[in-house]
Amino acid sequence: MDNFFTLDHLRALREIALRRCAERVSRLQGASAPKGDEHILVCLSSSPSNERIIRTAARMAAAFKARFSAVYVQRDDEEWRGQENEKRLENHKRLAQQLGVRIETLYGEDIAEQIATFSRLSHVTKIVLGRSAVSKPRFFPSPTLTERLIGQAPDLDVYIIPDKAGYKAQKKKLFRVMKPTRALLKSVLILAFVTIAGLALEMSGFPKTAILTTYVLGVLFASTLSASAFNGLVTSLVAVLLFNFAFTPPRYSFHALHAGDFLTLALMFAAALLTSRMAQKIRSSAESAARSAFKTKVLLETNQLLQSVEEEDVVFEIGAAQLRQLLDCPIVTYAYAKRRIGHGRVYGEGKELLLTPNERAVAYWCATNNKHAGASTDTLSSAKCLYLAVRLNEKVYGVVGIAMDEGARLDPLEQSIVLSVLGECALALEGIQSRAEKEQARMLAKNEQTRANLLRAISHDLRTPLTSISGNASNLLDNEAGMDEITRRQTIEDIYEESNWLIGLVENLLAITRIEEGKVALHPTLELFEELVEEALGHIRHNEDHEIATDGDPFLFVEADSRLVMQVLVNLVDNAIKYTPSGSKIEIAWRKEGERVRVEVKDEGEGIPDAVKARVFERFYCGDHEIVDSRRELGLGLSLCESIVHAHGGTIEVKDNVPKGSVFTFTLPYRKVDLHE
C-alpha cells in the first residue's frame, strides 16, 4: 500500500461503504414503503443448512409482507473454503435471487459487526441466520456469532435456525488450515535472512536486544504476506526457534540453560505472535476497506454520470461503459418495454457472436422472467453471455449481457458491483420515465386548460354575434312590413357584418390548425408588395375612424403566397384598429433589407407592456384585459400571423413605437426582378 491507513481511516471507509450499500438497498427494494414496515435480512453462507434458512426467511417475508434482503460477509481467510463449499455457496446465492432477494456482499473479519452495521443503516427489523451445532471449547470459550450479533444490535429480532451439519463442515475447515502455503515458505525465507542479518549485527558489536528487534520486525513483515492466523503462529514459533538456535548459549542447539533465556524466548514469542496478529488485522482491514472503497468509487462515479441523463439509450451506454471498465469484456444491452425486447447493442468486439437469435432469446427469457440466465447459470447455460435484468423491484427496464469465457464466473466483488451498477441504471431509467410521465401529465393539463379557455372564449364570442343575428332576423320576420327602407337595410347590414365576423373566426381557426399540421401547402408567386397591401386594406372593415397610411417602395417584389400574406396584413391592421382609439393613425411601411423585405405595422395605441410582449403570439392569449363586446378576440390572429410568417421562413416580433403605441414587424423573402421579367 502506498498510503498509510489508521484504524480510524479504515473504519470510516467501511462505514461509508456500508451506508452506500444500505441506501441502495433501501432505494431499490423499499424506497416507497413507509417507515415502520418490516424488513427481514437473511445471512448467506456455505453451510449445508443455509438453503433451509433462506427458504424459512422467504416464508417469513411473505407472511409479514416485508422487504427481503440478504447479505454475505466475505473474509480474507476464505481461500481455504474449497470447491465443494464454493459451489454450495453459489447455489445458495442463486436460490436467494430466484426468491426475489437482492444480495449485498460485505467485506471484513468481524461478521457480527458487519451485519449489525448494515442492519442499522438499512432499517432491518428481523434477522434470520443459522446456529452451528459445534460445541464450545471448555477453556476460554468465545461468544458465538449469534451472541455477538445480539450484543451489537439489541433492537433487532434474531431468529435462529439450528445447523446440524455444522460440525462436519468445521472439521473439514480445520483440516484444510494445516496445508502449507506459499506465504508460509516466504515467511521462513524471511526469517532465514533475518538470522543472517542478526549474525552480522552480532559480529558488528550490536547488543542482543537489537537482534531481538530484528526478529520481531521480520515476523511483522512476514505477517503482511498473509492474513492466515496459522501462518502467523508458525512464523512466530520459527522465529523463537531460530533465535534460540543461533544466539542462545549453547550456540547452534535448541537447549536453553538459564531461566532468563526461557523468559526471553517466551517474551519474544508473545511479542512476535502479538505483532503478527496485529499486522494481519491491519492488512485484512486495509484490504476490506480497499474493496469497499473501490466499490463505492464505481457506484459514485456511475451515479454522477447518470444524474443529468435524459435519454434511455445514454443510460445503457453509460452502464455498459462502466461494466467494460470493470470487467474488460464485451457488453450487450437490450431495452425492454411492454413485454417486447429492443434491438441489441454491443459495446466491444464480437457483434456477430453476441447478437444471434439464440442470444436474443436468452435475453428475452431473462427480461420476461426477471431472473439471471445464460453463461455460468443453470438456465440456458449454452449462451455466450451472462444475462442480468436491469430492474427496480419487479419492473424490468432492460437486459445486460456480459460476455463470459467458458467455465468463467464473476467473483463475489465483481458480481456485487455489477448488480449495483445495474441498480443505478434502473433508478436512472425510472427517473427518466417518471419525468416523461410528469411532462405528459403537464401537457395534458395544459391542453385541458387551453381547451377550457377556447370553449370559454368561443362561447363568449359566438354568443354576442349570434344574439345579434337572431334578434335582427326575428325583428325582420315580425316587423318587416312596418319597417322603412333605411331601417330594413341597416338590420340586414348588421346581420351581414356579424355573419362575416363569424366566418372570419372559423377561417382563422381552420387556417392555424392546417398550417401547424402541415396540411396547407404554400404556393409562392412573384408579387408586387404594394398591390398586396392595397388588396388587404380592401378587406378590412370599420376603418373609417382610423387613418391608414402606407409608405414603401412601389416596385418592391416578394416571393410569397399572396392569400396568406394578405391574411397577415389584415390581422395586424385589424388588431391595431381594435386596440387604438378612434382618429389615431395606423401606418404600413416596408423596405428591403438584404435578401428580405421588412414590413412594419405601426399604431398609436396604449402599447404593450414588456411582460406581455413575449406572450402576444401565444394561441388564445388575449392579454390581461377583460373581454368586452367591443373587443371580441380569441387570441388567434397573432398566432396565425406567426405561423404564416414562419412557414415563409421569416420572423415576426413586436416592439414599442416611439413616442406611443406598438410596432409589429415581420419579414418575407425578397425577389429581384429583371427587366425582361
Side-chain angles (χ1 to χ4, degrees):
M1 297 179 62
D2 295 333
N3 299 325
F4 179 75
F5 287 95
T6 66
L7 291 179
D8 291 338
H9 292 157
L10 298 175
R11 293 191 184 98
L13 286 173
R14 185 184 60 198
E15 187 77 12
I16 293 173
L18 287 173
R19 184 179 296 108
R20 184 69 177 170
C21 293
E23 291 175 353
R24 186 170 59 259
V25 168
S26 178
R27 287 186 295 170
L28 295 178
Q29 294 191 343
S32 60
K35 292 183 178 180
D37 280 6
E38 296 289 348
H39 186 183
I40 295 178
L41 180 70
V42 63
C43 301
L44 303 181
S45 70
S46 59
S47 171
S49 64
N50 193 240
E51 178 179 350
R52 183 161 62 93
I53 296 170
I54 296 172
R55 296 187 183 277
T56 301
R59 289 193 294 269
M60 289 179 58
F64 285 103
K65 297 181 179 180
R67 289 180 287 161
F68 193 16
S69 304
V71 295
Y72 170 66
V73 182
Q74 182 175 354
R75 299 188 301 175
D76 291 323
D77 59 359
E78 290 189 356
E79 58 186 277
W80 308 103
R81 191 168 52 201
Q83 294 183 354
E84 182 181 352
N85 284 345
E86 179 81 27
K87 183 176 180 181
R88 191 160 50 231
L89 177 62
E90 290 297 325
N91 292 334
H92 294 164
K93 289 183 177 181
R94 191 176 299 112
L95 173 63
Q97 292 171 349
Q98 292 174 353
L99 294 175
V101 185
R102 183 172 182 85
I103 302 174
E104 287 294 336
T105 302
L106 310 178
Y107 301 91
E109 288 296 312
D110 194 337
I111 299 178
E113 181 182 0
Q114 294 287 328
I115 295 175
T117 305
F118 181 84
S119 301
R120 183 179 68 256
L121 296 175
S122 299
H123 307 290
V124 173
T125 57
K126 303 179 186 300
I127 297 181
V128 181
L129 69 161
R131 179 176 59 191
S132 175
V134 179
S135 58
K136 293 183 179 180
R138 294 184 179 180
F139 302 101
F140 308 108
S142 59
T144 63
L145 171 63
T146 305
E147 294 171 344
R148 287 186 285 122
L149 184 59
I150 293 175
Q152 296 189 27
D155 297 333
L156 297 178
D157 297 332
V158 181
Y159 294 84
I160 309 298
I161 310 298
D163 184 3
K164 298 180 181 180
Y167 180 77
K168 184 177 180 181
Q170 183 72 10
K171 293 292 288 182
K172 288 183 178 180
K173 180 177 179 181
L174 290 175
F175 176 77
R176 284 193 296 270
V177 167
M178 299 303 295
K179 294 181 180 180
T181 64
R182 292 183 180 180
L184 182 59
L185 296 178
K186 292 181 180 179
S187 300
V188 173
L189 292 177
I190 291 173
L191 293 180
F193 175 78
V194 169
T195 301
I196 296 174
L199 293 174
L201 291 175
E202 186 181 39
M203 293 177 60
S204 300
F206 284 89
K208 188 177 293 186
T209 54
I211 301 175
L212 282 173
T213 305
T214 304
Y215 271 95
V216 173
L217 182 62
V219 172
L220 178 62
F221 181 68
S223 299
T224 59
L225 300 177
S226 173
S228 172
F230 175 72
N231 182 73
L233 177 64
V234 173
T235 302
S236 301
L237 181 60
V238 171
V240 170
L241 293 177
L242 286 176
F243 182 80
N244 182 27
F245 181 80
F247 301 101
T248 302
R251 305 287 291 268
Y252 308 112
S253 69
F254 293 102
H255 298 284
L257 302 178
H258 304 286
D261 295 331
F262 282 110
L263 180 62
T264 300
L265 294 177
L267 291 176
M268 177 183 175
F269 178 76
L273 185 62
L274 179 61
T275 303
S276 171
R277 190 56 184 164
M278 290 180 62
Q280 293 162 10
K281 285 288 185 181
I282 294 176
R283 179 180 180 274
S284 175
S285 299
E287 291 181 353
S288 299
R291 293 192 189 99
S292 300
F294 174 70
K295 180 178 179 181
T296 303
K297 174 182 176 295
V298 172
L299 295 181
L300 180 60
E301 180 181 347
T302 304
N303 181 270
Q304 291 175 343
L305 292 174
L306 293 173
Q307 280 183 353
S308 58
V309 174
E310 295 296 336
E311 298 180 5
E312 294 185 358
D313 291 343
V314 180
V315 173
F316 285 107
E317 184 177 346
I318 292 175
Q322 292 295 101
L323 295 181
R324 285 202 65 198
Q325 181 181 0
L326 173 67
L327 304 175
D328 192 24
C329 66
I331 304 294
V332 57
T333 62
Y334 295 89
Y336 180 75
K338 298 180 180 179
R339 300 192 64 82
R340 298 183 62 181
I341 195 169
H343 297 289
R345 296 183 60 184
V346 176
Y347 299 87
E349 300 178 354
K351 182 176 181 180
E352 296 77 10
L353 298 176
L354 302 181
L355 293 181
T356 62
N358 179 60
E359 296 292 322
R360 181 181 176 86
V362 178
Y364 180 74
W365 188 95
C366 174
T368 53
N369 293 275
N370 196 6
K371 296 179 181 178
H372 300 350
S376 74
T377 69
D378 296 333
T379 305
L380 305 172
S381 57
S382 61
K384 299 291 184 182
C385 295
L386 167 62
Y387 290 96
L388 308 173
V390 182
R391 65 184 183 180
L392 187 63
N393 297 330
E394 298 301 322
K395 187 173 182 180
V396 177
Y397 295 93
V399 177
V400 169
I402 302 172
M404 304 286 289
D405 295 331
E406 186 175 355
R409 289 178 176 271
L410 297 178
D411 63 42
L413 176 62
E414 290 176 341
Q415 185 175 10
S416 176
I417 296 179
V418 167
L419 294 178
S420 300
V421 169
L422 296 185
E424 294 290 344
C425 292
L427 287 173
L429 293 171
E430 172 70 13
I432 291 175
Q433 291 191 5
S434 177
R435 289 190 293 272
E437 292 173 357
K438 290 180 180 179
E439 179 64 19
Q440 184 178 7
R442 188 188 69 82
M443 292 300 298
L444 290 175
K446 182 179 180 180
N447 292 339
E448 182 64 23
Q449 182 63 36
T450 301
R451 186 182 67 86
N453 293 340
L454 175 61
L455 292 176
R456 182 170 60 252
I458 288 180
S459 63
H460 178 276
D461 283 12
L462 292 181
R463 183 171 59 248
T464 300
L466 288 176
T467 301
S468 176
I469 292 173
S470 176
N472 288 328
S474 176
N475 191 23
L476 282 176
L477 290 174
D478 296 339
N479 304 311
E480 182 181 5
M483 288 183 178
D484 55 32
E485 184 64 24
I486 297 176
T487 303
R488 184 185 301 109
R489 184 172 181 81
Q490 182 63 45
T491 302
I492 295 173
E493 287 180 355
D494 290 342
I495 294 175
Y496 177 75
E497 290 177 357
E498 297 293 348
S499 300
N500 281 337
W501 188 90
L502 289 176
I503 292 173
L505 169 64
V506 174
E507 287 180 349
N508 274 348
L509 284 172
L510 294 177
I512 192 172
T513 303
R514 290 173 179 172
I515 289 176
E516 293 194 353
E517 292 180 354
K519 294 181 179 179
V520 173
L522 295 180
H523 300 286
T525 58
L526 184 63
E527 300 289 343
L528 190 62
F529 190 74
E530 185 179 38
E531 292 181 355
L532 292 180
V533 174
E534 292 177 356
E535 189 173 353
L537 293 179
H539 291 282
I540 297 174
R541 303 177 304 275
H542 301 302
N543 60 351
E544 295 85 358
D545 296 334
H546 294 77
E547 178 187 353
I548 301 179
T550 59
D551 180 22
D553 186 351
F555 302 105
L556 195 60
F557 287 84
V558 295
E559 188 172 13
D561 190 314
S562 59
R563 180 177 57 86
L564 295 178
V565 172
M566 283 192 294
Q567 184 69 49
V568 173
L569 292 171
V570 169
N571 284 356
L572 292 178
V573 175
D574 187 59
N575 186 74
I577 291 174
K578 289 177 181 178
Y579 294 100
T580 56
S582 299
S584 60
K585 181 180 179 181
I586 300 173
E587 181 181 0
I588 305 175
W590 63 93
R591 65 180 181 274
K592 178 180 176 296
E593 285 188 355
E595 296 301 320
R596 293 281 173 179
V597 174
R598 182 180 183 88
V599 185
E600 295 181 341
V601 179
K602 306 177 183 178
D603 64 58
E604 297 177 350
E606 299 177 357
I608 301 175
D610 293 338
V612 179
K613 286 186 177 68
R615 301 190 59 190
V616 293
F617 296 106
E618 291 182 10
R619 194 183 305 180
F620 308 123
Y621 182 74
C622 302
D624 299 330
H625 62 273
E626 297 182 358
I627 297 177
V628 296
D629 292 343
S630 62
R631 291 184 179 179
R632 297 197 305 270
E633 178 63 37
L634 284 179
L636 291 175
L638 295 179
S639 179
L640 176 60
C641 293
E642 183 183 46
S643 300
I644 293 174
V645 172
H646 286 174
H648 283 82
T651 60
I652 186 169
E653 61 181 356
V654 60
K655 58 183 180 181
D656 294 331
N657 188 19
V658 180
K660 182 180 181 182
S662 301
V663 179
F664 284 86
T665 305
F666 66 94
T667 60
L668 294 172
Y670 167 72
R671 173 70 181 274
K672 182 179 180 180
V673 179
D674 297 329
L675 291 178
H676 69 272
E677 294 185 79

